[in-house]
Amino acid sequence: MKIQGNLIIFSTDSEERKDVRKLKEKKLQLVLNENNNFPTFEINSKEYIKKSAENKIEELFKTPQFYIEQLYTWGDPSYHINNSELTISYLAIINKKNIKKMPKNLQFYDIHIENKENSSIQHITLSNKNKKIQYEIDTIVKRVRENIEYINKLVGKYEINELTAIIIHAGIKRLRNRIENTNIAFSFLDKEFAISELQQIYEIILDKKLVAANFRKKIQPMIKKTDKVVKESAYRPSNQYTFNEEFIRNWV
Amino acid sequence: MKIQGNLIIFSTDSEERKDVRKLKEKKLQLVLNENNNFPTFEINSKEYIKKSAENKIEELFKTPQFYIEQLYTWGDPSYHINNSELTISYLAIINKKNIKKMPKNLQFYDIHIENKENSSIQHITLSNKNKKIQYEIDTIVKRVRENIEYINKLVGKYEINELTAIIIHAGIKRLRNRIENTNIAFSFLDKEFAISELQQIYEIILDKKLVAANFRKKIQPMIKKTDKVVKESAYRPSNQYTFNEEFIRNWV
DNA sequence: GCAAAAGTGTTCGGGCTACACCCATGG
DNA sequence: CCATGGGTGTAGCCCGAACACTTTTGC
C-alpha cells in the first residue's frame, strides 16, 4: 500500500501599513504548492513519521524552528493522488522570520473565511499576489450511526480538491482548539513580542475581535515582561514580553 | 509498507452490589486480546479506513451500535508487530448491552489508575477475574525543539508493550477531552438512563468524584426527562432521561 | 427511624465582559 | 491638540463549587 505524508503549514504575514498611526494587521497564511495542494513527504518504516515530517520542513525552509503535530490520517479512496492511497497529515506552524530559504514551488496564501449569514456555509478565499483560490464549504451536522457528527462538503463552484478543503478546515479547527488550550500561539511569533502582536494571533485564528484590556489580563500568567521596550512604530512604545516557561497546563 | 489498524475499545461494567442500599459502582473497561494487545483490523485501499474499523467492530460484536473515531497513527519503528510497520488506532466506545457475541480471544479489563503522590508517575492496573496486568507510566514535560511536549515513558517493571501503554494513555486522554466537549458519555449508556448513571460515567473517565447537585444542573441542557421512572434498586426511584437531540455545540 | 439516593435551592467567589480612564507618542 | 496604541482599574454578570435541605424508598 502506498503512503505519503503531507504538511499543513500555517504562518502569518503583516499587511502593509495603510495609516501610519495604525498597527500592521496580521493575516493567517497557509502553504500550498503549484497544484493547489500541500507539500508532501515520504514515509518509510525506518523512521518515526513525525521525524520524517520534521526533516521535510527543515529541508524545505532550512530551519529547525517550528511547531509540528500530527493532524489526521486520511484513507479516502477518492484521494489517491500521486499513486498514494493513504495520507498522514501533519500540522505545522512556522514563523517566517526563521525561514532561511523559500522553495520555488511553494507559496504562502492568505486565508480569508467568511461565514454566510443564516447558513452553515463558509466562503473561503486563499490568495496572494499571483493567485486566488475560492471555494465554499458546508458544515453539516448529521446523525451517523449512534452519534452526531460534523460532515464537511464542498458546494457550488470550487477550485480545489475536496479533501484538500476538508484538511484546511480540520487544520483551522485544530488551531482554534490548540490556541485555547496550549501555547501554540507563541510559535507564530518571535521570542520577544508585544501583547498586541499576541492578541492579533488570537484574533486571526479565532476569527473575532478581542478586547485588549481583557486579553491582557487573561494571558498575563502565560507571559513574562522583559525590560525591553520597542516602538513597533505605533505611537506609544510597548513592552516586550516572552513566554513564561513556568506556565504549564494539562496540555495536549 | 505494511499497515494495520487497531481498536482501542472502551466500555463500562457494574460491580456487584456490596451494600443493598448503595448504587452499583461502574468501572471503566478496555478490550485486550490474549497477547495483552488491541484487536487489529486490515486496511485496504478500496475502503475508507473508518469504515474498515467499523466493519471490524460489527464483525467482532455483531452490533452496529457503538461510537468510533480516529485516535492517532503510530509510526514507531520499535512497534513492528505482526510485520506491521504502521498502525492507525481507532477509539471506540461500546455499551455491553449491545454486544450480541463476545469473541473468545478478547477480554474486557477493568482500568484502575493511581496517581502517585508528589510525582508524575501513574500506576495502572488492568484486571479481570483471570488476569492482571500492571505497569507504571511517567508523563514527563519536556522541551522538544521550540515547544513543550508531554513524553510518556514506561518505568520499572511492566507486563505490557510500551506503545500499547502509550496508546491506552492517549485513549484515556481523548476520552477526557471528549467527555468535556461532546456527548460521548451517552455512548456508554442505554438510550434511557438515570442521572446518577451518567454522573458515574463522568466520574470514572475524569477519575474524580463530582457533587451530584452541581452535576445535575450542569448537564441539564444536554438531557431530556422522560415520563418513565425506574427503581434502579436503590431506594428512591429515579426519573429516566434521554439525550436531548436539540443540544448541539461546536463539537469535534 | 434511618441510610441512601433523587432532587431543589442558596450562597460565595473567581473569571470573563464591557467600559471608563490614564499615559505616551508624534503627526 | 488629537488619534492611536499601551496599560490599569472597576462594576456587573455568569458559572461552577460547596453545601443545606426536602422527598422518597425499603431495610
Side-chain angles (χ1 to χ4, degrees):
Chain A
M1 191 154 177
K2 273 215 63 176
I3 311 176
Q4 68 172 6
N6 66 9
L7 299 168
I8 325 307
I9 305 167
F10 289 98
S11 187
T12 56
D13 199 9
S14 290
E15 283 200 351
E16 285 309 301
R17 199 189 310 278
K18 289 161 195 154
D19 181 336
V20 213
R21 285 178 296 201
K22 287 207 173 180
L23 273 178
K24 285 192 209 161
E25 271 182 43
K26 282 197 202 301
K27 300 167 301 180
L28 186 61
Q29 291 196 317
L30 177 70
V31 174
L32 293 178
N33 65 21
E34 66 274 12
N35 302 319
N36 298 353
N37 227 311
F38 305 108
T40 59
F41 65 96
E42 290 198 3
I43 289 171
N44 65 71
S45 57
K46 304 275 179 297
E47 206 173 35
Y48 280 59
I49 313 174
K50 188 177 183 186
K51 193 86 185 73
S52 303
E54 287 169 348
N55 289 346
K56 185 65 179 187
I57 295 194
E58 287 207 34
E59 180 197 320
L60 289 174
F61 303 112
K62 306 291 181 210
T63 174
Q65 290 174 280
F66 51 85
Y67 172 84
I68 192 162
E69 70 170 57
Q70 192 183 105
L71 180 60
Y72 202 80
T73 300
W74 314 90
D76 185 335
S78 64
Y79 190 52
H80 292 182
I81 45 168
N82 310 330
N83 292 322
S84 179
E85 297 158 326
L86 197 131
T87 304
I88 306 178
S89 294
Y90 275 76
L91 181 151
I93 298 171
I94 195 160
N95 177 350
K96 281 214 186 116
K97 286 214 187 130
N98 295 326
I99 293 179
K100 304 277 188 302
K101 179 206 148 202
M102 186 65 199
K104 283 203 195 69
N105 65 325
L106 297 184
Q107 287 198 292
F108 281 90
Y109 287 84
D110 298 346
I111 303 174
H112 185 252
I113 301 171
E114 202 181 325
N115 288 292
K116 289 209 171 181
E117 206 78 35
N118 300 324
S119 108
S120 55
I121 296 175
Q122 289 186 335
H123 188 96
I124 286 111
T125 311
L126 306 172
S127 62
N128 61 22
K129 51 185 183 302
N130 304 313
K131 204 166 171 183
K132 195 175 202 175
I133 303 166
Q134 287 185 292
Y135 61 90
E136 289 183 345
I137 198 165
D138 195 355
T139 60
I140 311 148
V141 180
K142 209 177 151 186
R143 189 158 249 286
V144 176
R145 284 163 174 271
E146 294 303 298
N147 291 281
I148 288 165
E149 289 183 12
Y150 274 82
I151 312 288
N152 302 313
K153 251 190 102 54
L154 277 184
V155 292
K157 280 191 181 171
Y158 42 84
E159 304 157 320
I160 200 163
N161 179 293
E162 174 133 28
L163 191 59
T164 304
I166 289 170
I167 293 177
I168 293 173
H169 196 81
I172 292 171
K173 257 187 163 169
R174 181 70 61 92
L175 282 185
R176 287 186 182 164
N177 181 287
R178 288 289 189 257
I179 207 171
E180 303 273 26
N181 301 297
T182 77
N183 62 335
I184 59 136
F186 300 94
S187 310
F188 287 97
L189 298 172
D190 302 341
K191 203 156 250 148
E192 303 192 330
F193 51 84
I195 291 184
S196 59
E197 290 183 278
L198 185 60
Q199 184 178 338
Q200 282 195 51
I201 300 296
Y202 276 75
E203 289 180 340
I204 59 180
I205 290 179
L206 299 175
D207 197 26
K208 65 176 174 197
K209 287 283 162 201
L210 302 174
V211 180
N214 297 336
F215 179 77
R216 175 177 298 274
K217 274 172 281 185
K218 185 185 165 181
I219 46 96
Q220 208 66 62
M222 283 179 86
I223 59 177
K224 243 166 46 186
K225 204 180 197 170
T226 69
D227 49 8
K228 288 182 198 145
V229 169
V230 83
K231 10 184 210 310
E232 171 41 51
S233 79
Y235 278 18
R236 172 173 173 178
S238 62
N239 274 293
Q240 291 287 85
Y241 295 81
T242 61
F243 174 59
N244 176 11
E245 300 280 346
E246 258 105 83
F247 183 84
I248 302 287
R249 276 213 241 161
N250 272 334
W251 284 333
V252 183
Chain B
M1 193 155 175
K2 274 215 63 179
I3 310 175
Q4 68 173 7
N6 67 8
L7 299 168
I8 325 307
I9 305 166
F10 289 98
S11 186
T12 57
D13 199 8
S14 291
E15 283 201 352
E16 285 308 302
R17 200 189 309 277
K18 288 161 196 154
D19 181 336
V20 213
R21 285 178 295 201
K22 288 206 174 182
L23 276 178
K24 285 191 210 163
E25 272 181 42
K26 282 197 200 303
K27 301 167 301 181
L28 186 60
Q29 290 196 317
L30 177 69
V31 174
L32 292 178
N33 64 20
E34 66 273 15
N35 302 318
N36 298 354
N37 226 310
F38 306 108
T40 59
F41 64 96
E42 290 198 4
I43 289 171
N44 65 72
S45 56
K46 305 274 178 297
E47 205 172 36
Y48 281 58
I49 312 174
K50 189 178 182 185
K51 191 86 184 74
S52 303
E54 287 170 347
N55 289 346
K56 184 66 181 189
I57 295 194
E58 287 207 34
E59 179 197 321
L60 288 174
F61 303 112
K62 307 290 180 212
T63 173
Q65 288 173 282
F66 51 86
Y67 172 84
I68 192 161
E69 71 171 57
Q70 192 183 102
L71 180 60
Y72 202 80
T73 300
W74 314 91
D76 184 334
S78 64
Y79 190 52
H80 293 181
I81 45 168
N82 310 331
N83 292 322
S84 179
E85 297 158 327
L86 197 131
T87 304
I88 305 177
S89 294
Y90 275 77
L91 181 151
I93 298 172
I94 196 160
N95 176 349
K96 281 215 186 118
K97 285 214 187 131
N98 295 327
I99 293 179
K100 304 275 188 304
K101 178 205 148 202
M102 186 66 198
K104 283 203 192 69
N105 65 325
L106 298 183
Q107 286 199 291
F108 281 90
Y109 286 84
D110 297 346
I111 303 175
H112 184 251
I113 302 172
E114 202 181 326
N115 288 292
K116 288 209 170 181
E117 205 79 34
N118 301 324
S119 109
S120 56
I121 296 174
Q122 289 185 336
H123 188 96
I124 285 111
T125 310
L126 305 172
S127 61
N128 62 22
K129 50 185 183 299
N130 305 314
K131 203 166 169 182
K132 194 176 203 176
I133 304 166
Q134 287 185 293
Y135 62 90
E136 289 183 346
I137 198 164
D138 195 356
T139 60
I140 311 149
V141 179
K142 210 176 150 186
R143 190 159 248 287
V144 176
R145 285 163 174 270
E146 294 303 298
N147 291 282
I148 288 166
E149 289 183 11
Y150 274 82
I151 312 289
N152 301 313
K153 250 190 103 51
L154 277 184
V155 292
K157 281 192 180 171
Y158 42 84
E159 304 156 322
I160 200 163
N161 179 294
E162 173 133 27
L163 190 59
T164 304
I166 289 169
I167 293 177
I168 293 173
H169 197 80
I172 292 171
K173 259 185 161 168
R174 182 69 62 91
L175 283 185
R176 287 183 183 167
N177 181 288
R178 288 290 188 257
I179 207 171
E180 303 273 26
N181 301 296
T182 78
N183 61 336
I184 59 138
F186 301 93
S187 309
F188 287 97
L189 298 172
D190 301 342
K191 203 155 250 147
E192 304 193 329
F193 50 84
I195 291 185
S196 60
E197 289 181 278
L198 186 59
Q199 183 178 340
Q200 282 195 50
I201 301 295
Y202 275 75
E203 289 180 339
I204 59 179
I205 290 179
L206 299 175
D207 197 26
K208 66 177 174 198
K209 286 283 163 199
L210 302 174
V211 179
N214 296 336
F215 180 78
R216 175 177 297 273
K217 274 173 279 185
K218 185 184 164 182
I219 46 98
Q220 208 67 62
M222 283 179 84
I223 58 177
K224 244 167 45 186
K225 205 179 195 171
T226 69
D227 49 8
K228 288 182 196 145
V229 170
V230 84
K231 11 185 209 310
E232 172 40 51
S233 81
Y235 279 15
R236 172 172 172 179
S238 62
N239 274 294
Q240 290 288 84
Y241 295 81
T242 61
F243 175 60
N244 176 11
E245 300 280 345
E246 259 105 83
F247 183 84
I248 301 288
R249 277 213 241 163
N250 273 333
W251 283 333
V252 185

